[in-house]
Structures are given as structure tokens and as C-alpha cells.
Amino acid sequence: VFVAGTGSKLWEVPGASFTSSSNLSESLQRGQHCPYRHLQDRARVTADIPPRLDGTWVSIRCEVRPGPEFLTRSYTFHPTRHFQALQHYYTDSSCEDPAYSLLIRGKLRLRQASWITRGGTEAEHHLSKVGIVVHSLAAKQRLASRLPPACVGLTLSRAVPGKLYELYNTRAGRGCLAALGFSMMEMGLIRVETQHHSHGGKVQELLLGDIHTDWTQRTQYRPTGYQQPLQNAMHHIHPCPVCALVYRSSEQRPPVLPRSPSAALLSLAGHWVSQRCETRPNVLFLTRDFTFDPDQHAWEGIYRHYSDPMCSQPTFTLRASGHYAQGNPSAKVSGATEFVFKVIQVRVTAAEETTAKLLNGTRPGKCGRAGGWEVGVEQDLTPTDGCTLLGIKLPHKEYELFKTELDHRKHPLLFTGERPNDGSSPDRLQRRPTSFQAPMVLCSGGQTQPSQRYSLNSKQVQLAASGTERLAQLVLLVLGSVLCSCFCVY
């Protein structure tokens, strides 16, 4: 059920006030169990509208942005609406070799909750200053090759490692920032989630807008999805050695992260599932469920799509399968490995009546059995070579990038390539991803993964039901945004 606001104009938004079970264990078809004790403790997740931002939020690992770029972030928000952001950039994917740091100051104004990305809040930011500190002469030379001569002359020609130089202020233009590919458009979409643990502790995460996968678009892009979250410095997962290093950092003293426990790709064998309800650009909420058989070079992926950011209101499920081939270690992202995936078969299940009606409206021979779509009944799209409405064409090949790590508890994580923001597919070699989606966890054992309970709270919004028209609109947006990229290691 979708709801519309009837309270103040600023917070007249599509939202929900509910507590519902989002049982990810349904994705574990083989009765397997994620060996994560902290997931069992995480009984409930809440999200406040508007979000409460006061405090410092830090990276929990070396982050990989499209390009690729490697960085850590430390953002501090004050009650006065002022913020200070530290971005430390590195030459390597382990964040061991600092190149330069940016010190960003400005003001943030929260606006209305987003009509596009349900559960998120739109915001406006105004920069007052951006300073840069280079950490080596080699980094200075690399920056000089990227910046226009005017920027080099004004700033970098005088730069001494360890000293702060101003790149931007309210009296100067943003040409030097744009040449760096710098943008704080991520602050255009904000969400804060609080994980309430059964032992009384909590973890708070700040999700900021996603970065466009096309470098030329990133400075103007209005985000509709999220990056990997930052964690509240006071309320984070324990132990988190990276959190402490990033929190104590400054523009002159960037954090040097400890080397990841695993430098090479771990075995893909087994069953991997999403750790949380995942948000994608263009109104996509989903959970992923992968199984790999290295002996047969076979894989299966199950993508459960939802209409809400808690993944409690299913719309359709997509089950894809095929073969894969492992390639060489990545030359762009150290520790990552190149793959090629081929999708042979796709099956879709409509989870509610609106989706079934939309699929039944397709032309015969274009999307499964014409007029045969029913709620809860799976259809094979192979006989029609896919589905034009969903943008699926079979067979299909994609170029992928995988990376594995061990988390703070020495449990395996799997990172798969980030999907292009424009909904296209990495079906050509030059489109291979250079950044990653949210990590998945490895499951094994004999029980199901524990359920998670979610709720969305807003004290400033009075909510009322809005009916099926809004639901139909969103389902149409979801179906129209899936495209062929949704099923191959999405």
C-alpha cells in the first residue's frame, strides 16, 4: 500500500508508517544459513524522515568509485546545518598509498522526502570552500596532468606536500573542481538507517546519493540510488579498525588502511545473498541470491524486486541461469578479477496483480505465454527469447568484475560490478565495470537466515492511504527500468 502525506507541505510525501517483516531467508532455497552472528542480533531497522544527520560519519572500508577512484570519507554535520567533509584519495584499491585529500565546507538544507526514491530525502547543498592537500610529488604530477593550466598555475604549481591550498571559494568558479571530476551531488539524496540489536546496541548508517558511472555525467547527475553507507562514528559495527583510522584522520594526516586479509579471489563456490534491502537508480529495490558451481562453470541468480526500501512489498521475482568464465586479474582494480557471464535462461514470477496485468498486455511471442501471466506462477522467457517489456533478450553476455574480501569477523564477502546508471548492460569489453555494488555474504549450513524487522518513522508527517494508482505508476517505472542488465550479476 502506498501512502501520501496530508501534513505540512514540506513533508507531503509518499511514505509509510509501519513495522513489517522482511524475511530474506526465503531466498535461501537450499535451507542454507549465513554464519553471521551479528545478523542474528540485528532484529529491526528504522529510518527517520527527515533524517537526523548530526555527528561524524565514516567509511568502513576502502571505497571504489567508477573510474576507478579509491577513497575514504569522513563527513561531519552540525546542528547549524553546516558540514565539513573530508575525502582522501589513493592510488591503490587498498587505500594504502594516499595521493591527495579534499577538505570541503558548506551548508546543507533538507527539503522534501523524495517522490522518486521512496524512503529517501532530497536536499540542497551550498559549498563555501574546497581545499586540497597533496601527499607526494608523484601525486602532484598526476593531478597537474588532469587539471587545466590555469588551475595548475593558481594552485598546484605552489603546492607543497602536506600543505592546504584552496581550490574553490564563493568568489571563484568551479572549473578546477569540474576538471577533477569533483561533485557533492551525492548530498542530493539522503537516508539514515538505524539497526537496533537485541542486546541493546545500535548501528547507524548514512546513505548518500550514488555517483554516476559515466565520468562526464557525474557533476550534473541527480542521484536516485545510493552509495555504500557511511557509519556513525559513535554507533558502528564493532570491531571496525577502519572506522577509527578514518575518524582520527585530517587533511594533513590521511588514514593508511591495513591490507585486506584476502588479496586474491576466494572460491565462488556456494550460495551468496544480499546483506540488506538494496536500492538501485531508477526506483529499484531488490535482494539478490546467487549460487555458483565452479566445476560446471554454472551460475543461478534470483532477483527479488520490491516497491519499497524495506523490501517488504514484492512486485516480481526474476530467476536467471547460465555459464561463466573466469578471466585475468584486473589491471584497473587491484585484487579484482575479470569474468564473462552468459545468460541462457530467465524465468519471471509476478508477485502481485498489477505486475501480472502489465505482463499480460504484451504482444504474443514477445514476453512468455501471451495472456498466461498469473500471480505466483513462474514463466520461462526462453521460448520468446526474452521479454521486450522488461528489455530482456536471450541469450545474453556481460563483462563483469568480481572481488572478494573477508569482513571484520573473517567471513567472506563478494563484490560484483556496479551497473551503469543509464540502465544499459556491460555487454561489451569497454563497458566492464570499474566499481562495485553492495557486498553479498556467503551462506552455508542447515538453517535459514534470520528475518529482519523494519519500520519507517516520521513524526512530521501525517500519512493516509493513496490507493492503487500510485502503485501502478511505480510498478510501471520498475518494469520499465529493469532492462537486460537486471539479471546478469545485478
Side-chain angles (χ1 to χ4, degrees):
V1 177
F2 280 78
V3 293
T6 58
S8 72
K9 187 174 182 179
L10 182 61
W11 297 105
E12 207 166 38
V13 299
S17 181
F18 60 89
T19 300
S20 63
S21 294
S22 176
N23 193 348
L24 300 185
S25 66
E26 69 182 44
S27 66
L28 306 183
Q29 298 292 322
R30 295 162 184 81
Q32 296 174 317
H33 165 59
C34 286
Y36 287 80
R37 306 308 303 179
H38 68 280
L39 281 180
Q40 294 181 357
D41 293 337
R42 192 175 70 189
R44 193 166 59 94
V45 176
T46 60
D48 291 324
I49 297 179
R52 299 170 183 172
L53 298 176
D54 293 355
T56 299
W57 308 80
V58 296
S59 301
I60 63 171
R61 62 172 57 90
C62 185
E63 300 180 21
V64 183
R65 283 183 172 179
E69 285 184 331
F70 313 112
L71 75 158
T72 57
R73 296 178 290 160
S74 175
Y75 292 2
T76 300
F77 297 90
H78 303 284
T80 59
R81 292 172 29 204
H82 289 83
F83 71 86
Q84 175 176 297
L86 269 174
Q87 296 180 348
H88 305 287
Y89 290 85
Y90 302 78
T91 63
D92 64 302
S93 60
S94 299
C95 291
E96 297 180 71
D97 182 24
Y100 64 93
S101 297
L102 296 179
L103 175 63
I104 305 126
R105 290 192 173 98
K107 294 186 73 173
L108 183 73
R109 181 191 177 199
L110 297 177
R111 297 185 62 83
Q112 69 278 355
S114 174
W115 285 95
I116 299 175
T117 306
R118 192 179 179 200
T121 298
E122 296 178 359
E124 288 182 352
H125 74 279
H126 298 278
L127 299 181
S128 56
K129 287 186 179 181
V130 178
I132 186 170
V133 177
V134 295
H135 300 301
S136 68
L137 291 176
K140 175 180 174 179
Q141 292 173 350
R142 285 192 295 268
L143 282 170
S145 66
R146 293 170 55 186
L147 293 174
C151 299
V152 175
L154 290 172
T155 304
L156 285 186
S157 63
R158 299 178 289 109
V160 175
K163 186 174 180 180
L164 179 67
Y165 289 88
E166 200 167 85
L167 269 183
Y168 167 83
N169 57 45
T170 54
R171 300 180 303 277
R174 299 196 180 194
C176 298
L177 298 182
L180 274 179
F182 169 82
S183 170
M184 291 301 287
M185 294 296 285
E186 62 190 280
M187 290 194 174
L189 183 66
I190 297 175
R191 178 176 170 87
V192 172
E193 290 187 356
T194 302
Q195 304 166 10
H196 302 269
H197 293 248
S198 58
H199 53 69
K202 65 181 181 180
V203 171
Q204 287 188 315
E205 294 186 326
L206 170 63
L207 294 96
L208 296 175
D210 59 309
I211 306 299
H212 203 288
T213 52
D214 183 345
W215 182 277
T216 64
Q217 302 294 320
R218 61 192 301 176
T219 59
Q220 303 298 324
Y221 172 64
R222 299 288 299 183
T224 57
Y226 299 109
Q227 298 176 70
Q228 291 300 291
L230 303 175
Q231 290 195 1
N232 189 302
M234 299 296 104
H235 304 289
H236 57 264
I237 293 175
H238 294 280
C240 182
V242 172
C243 298
L245 290 172
V246 177
Y247 179 73
R248 290 196 294 263
S249 68
S250 69
E251 60 272 24
Q252 281 87 14
R253 297 186 304 277
V256 176
L257 303 193
R259 185 174 293 274
S260 172
S262 60
L265 183 76
L266 299 171
S267 172
L268 291 182
H271 196 83
W272 305 81
V273 298
S274 298
Q275 297 184 90
R276 64 192 303 148
C277 183
E278 299 175 2
T279 303
R280 297 287 186 275
N282 301 314
V283 205
L284 290 175
F285 307 106
L286 75 157
T287 60
R288 297 174 293 152
D289 180 341
F290 289 167
T291 303
F292 298 95
D293 182 350
D295 293 334
Q296 301 296 322
H297 300 285
W299 71 280
E300 181 182 67
I302 303 173
Y303 312 84
R304 290 178 170 82
H305 289 259
Y306 303 83
S307 62
D308 69 297
M310 302 301 184
C311 287
S312 65
Q313 300 170 13
T315 54
F316 67 96
T317 296
L318 191 151
R319 184 190 302 263
S321 58
H323 302 281
Y324 69 91
Q326 182 172 335
N328 298 319
S330 172
K332 294 184 176 181
V333 183
S334 176
T337 303
E338 296 176 347
F339 281 82
V340 177
F341 278 78
K342 190 169 185 179
V343 187
I344 304 298
Q345 184 181 50
V346 174
R347 290 163 287 177
V348 172
T349 305
E352 42 81 67
E353 194 62 40
T354 304
T355 305
K357 288 181 178 179
L358 287 170
L359 293 170
N360 277 326
T362 57
R363 291 168 53 193
K366 297 297 183 180
C367 188
R369 192 172 68 256
W373 290 95
E374 299 178 23
V375 174
V377 179
E378 186 176 72
Q379 273 223 50
D380 188 358
L381 302 182
T382 310
T384 54
D385 297 326
C387 176
T388 54
L389 178 65
L390 298 179
I392 297 172
K393 185 177 181 179
L394 295 174
H396 179 71
K397 183 168 70 173
E398 293 198 353
Y399 294 86
E400 256 297 348
L401 188 70
F402 276 23
K403 183 180 73 167
T404 55
E405 284 184 5
L406 300 179
D407 70 2
H408 63 289
R409 297 175 184 263
K410 303 295 188 274
H411 292 136
L413 300 177
L414 173 63
F415 295 79
T416 66
E418 186 174 3
R419 313 311 297 180
N421 287 84
D422 62 4
S424 64
S425 171
D427 54 1
R428 295 198 295 270
L429 189 60
Q430 59 268 32
R431 290 185 175 180
R432 190 188 300 275
T434 57
S435 56
F436 301 103
Q437 301 178 54
M440 305 174 75
V441 297
L442 178 65
C443 297
S444 62
Q447 298 178 3
T448 57
Q449 180 180 345
S451 64
Q452 302 177 29
R453 290 172 57 81
Y454 295 90
S455 67
L456 180 66
N457 301 320
S458 176
K459 295 181 179 179
Q460 298 188 11
V461 187
Q462 294 180 351
L463 301 167
S466 68
T468 59
E469 180 181 357
R470 177 87 179 113
L471 176 60
Q473 291 174 351
L474 189 82
V475 170
L476 186 58
L477 277 172
V478 170
L479 292 178
S481 302
V482 172
L483 301 175
C484 59
S485 63
C486 78
F487 56 81
C488 186
V489 198
Y490 191 93

